[in-house]
Amino acid sequence: MISLKCPYCQVGLKVDETKLPEGIKSFKCPKCKKSIPVSLLNTEESGDNTSDTVLLTPIKTGLGVIVVTADAGTTEQTIPLHEGLITIGRKSATSGVTFPIETTDKLMSRSHISIEVKKDLKGGYKHYLSDNNSKNRTLYNNNYLEAGEVVVLHDNDEIVIGRTSLRFKA
Ligand SMILES: [Zn+2]
């Protein structure tokens, strides 16, 4: 059993690692519903006392990831995508997005882009990218997204928010 705290809402969690499905990349926090990357399970051990034992809801995998390219102000980070709406922006005390990126890139807004993952008619998934009215806009494959514009992501598409480059991996 691993004890940890949800990095977003700080609720105490206990994880039975023997019950985690093989290949799982993240699970949903039962309290704040944000997705916690499984790699945190190995590093974020904490003393228990107030921890609750919770049933984990594994997030369906195979829906692609967004890889944050490392540069001077940012380490490489992987954002696991799941069905529904995912918001991404610069991590801060007030960011409140689904996936806060750890970066010193101040040109990235606290809530910069949204990706909505929806089932299509063929049983696959489509990924819809839009800009969250960010101050410095979003480059999608070298073109600025217009206000309200929504594009469908394809494997290896590049998204630039602030100075930071993200890549979609289907
Ligand atoms: Zn949480």
Side-chain angles (χ1 to χ4, degrees), residues 5-11 13 28-36:
K5 277 199 173 113
C6 171
Y8 306 108
C9 70
Q10 310 298 323
V11 70
L13 304 170
K28 196 179 277 190
C29 172
K31 191 175 168 208
C32 69
K33 313 291 184 208
K34 289 183 180 172
S35 91
I36 305 174

Side-chain angles (χ1 to χ4, degrees), residues 4 8 34 37 42 45 50 64 68 84 90 92 103 111 117-119 134 142 144 157 167:
L4 72 152
Y8 306 108
K34 289 183 180 172
N42 303 323
E45 298 221 16
T50 58
V68 182
R90 175 166 52 86
S92 78
T103 180
S111 176
V117 184
K118 286 194 223 169
K119 257 203 183 95
S134 67
N142 292 318
Y144 280 109
D157 279 352
R167 211 165 268 285

